[in-house]
Amino acid sequence: MSDPAVVLDDLRAESEEVDALVRALTDEQWALPTPAPCWTVAHQIAHLAWTDAAALLAATDPGAFAAEAEKALAAPGRFVDDGAEEGAALPPAELLERWRAGRERLHRVLREAPPGARFPWYGPAMSAVSLATARLMETWAHGQDVADALGVVRRPTARLRHVAWIGLRARDYAYLVRGLTPPAEPFRAELTGPDGERWAYGPDDAPQVITGPALDFCLLVTQRVHRADTALVARGADAEHWLTVAQAFAGPAGEGRAPREDGA
């Protein structure tokens, strides 16, 4: 995951896939509710545009980003929703163009970032490759919400390996944002990719191990599915507990999703 060009190419592909879901929607479809409470399809795309703009600011003007981050800290329960509300109020064509233009500017800036550059964020500072990976993770996750709202079943791709990687890397953050102490022992994830390939993350001898479908793991760490609705298997008490709090995204602790009802 250390080559920014690879991650940026995958980020562009992920963005284009989500773009294809919404580019021909009617105004009524833009207003469809998604699994996120009170968020429509428009809110989901507005959030992506807003977060891309924040990432661009972090990469080009760290001082201005720090000022924005202070505003976020002052209203931790509202700043994400407020950004989505502002964008969702735009005409769909204008919102879509804003997202396209912003993500393209961010792509260029991250591709041109000097080696070793680090950028501030709402969590720990990030390298160009980590920031691009975070944007891919969010694009995929919010794209999933859009797909769910439209009744579209997306085909999982190998791009999920980036989501899985950042999900495991964010393990300690998920604990800290909840006021908990992260486990001392390292974790390992052994996941099955969309084409049956094996993806392994973490030390071979880690005592805490997660196994199962990569798609389930990615849905869980982005909090798009409840732990009970996955085929993931945890070996070790800490690993099992982590699957109940896992969070790949920055910001306050997410509420997660309720388990599906029987027959859902």
Side-chain angles (χ1 to χ4, degrees):
M1 306 303 171
S2 59
D3 186 347
V6 172
V7 183
L8 285 165
D9 286 347
D10 282 349
L11 171 58
R12 173 166 281 165
E14 194 66 43
S15 298
E16 289 174 351
E17 182 175 300
V18 177
D19 194 304
L21 286 174
V22 301
R23 67 182 57 151
L25 296 183
T26 64
D27 288 354
E28 290 75 16
Q29 288 173 310
W30 278 93
L32 286 172
T34 68
C38 302
W39 276 29
T40 65
V41 169
H43 285 84
Q44 299 289 347
I45 300 303
H47 176 71
L48 291 178
W50 178 85
T51 318
D52 282 344
L56 182 65
L57 189 65
T60 57
D61 191 340
F65 176 81
E68 290 300 315
E70 286 295 324
K71 295 179 185 178
L73 289 173
R78 284 297 313 168
F79 79 101
V80 171
D81 285 339
D82 288 346
E85 286 285 354
E86 179 185 356
L90 297 172
E94 184 178 343
L95 171 58
L96 185 54
E97 183 52 38
R98 174 183 289 189
W99 178 42
R100 287 170 174 169
R103 75 189 196 225
E104 185 58 33
R105 287 195 295 270
L106 177 62
H107 183 99
R108 290 198 301 270
V109 167
L110 293 181
R111 193 173 287 276
E112 295 168 1
R118 296 190 66 79
F119 308 110
W121 197 236
Y122 298 105
M126 291 188 175
S127 64
V129 68
S130 293
L131 191 55
T133 304
R135 298 309 310 126
L136 192 156
M137 175 270 295
E138 285 237 29
T139 301
W140 176 80
H142 290 282
Q144 184 63 45
D145 290 339
V146 171
D148 288 344
L150 299 174
V152 174
V153 178
R154 298 193 296 173
R155 184 181 67 85
T157 74
R159 295 191 296 271
L160 287 179
R161 69 190 187 277
H162 304 299
V163 182
W165 178 82
I166 202 169
L168 193 63
R169 292 271 295 182
R171 185 203 71 171
D172 287 2
Y173 179 80
Y175 282 89
L176 294 171
V177 78
R178 288 166 174 79
L180 303 174
T181 301
E185 293 183 324
F187 282 25
R188 179 173 175 82
E190 298 175 354
L191 308 174
T192 304
D195 296 321
E197 65 275 32
R198 178 175 174 271
W199 300 344
Y201 308 82
D204 290 340
D205 59 352
Q208 306 290 328
V209 182
I210 309 294
T211 61
L215 176 60
D216 285 13
F217 182 78
C218 293
L219 288 169
L220 185 69
V221 298
T222 56
Q223 297 191 353
R224 263 57 188 180
V225 71
H226 191 273
R227 164 76 178 100
D229 296 320
T230 73
L232 298 171
V233 176
R235 187 170 74 236
D238 286 341
E240 180 60 51
H241 179 246
W242 176 56
L243 292 182
T244 68
V245 301
Q247 175 173 323
F249 50 89
E255 297 180 1
R257 297 281 164 87
R260 292 194 300 263
E261 296 180 3
D262 290 345

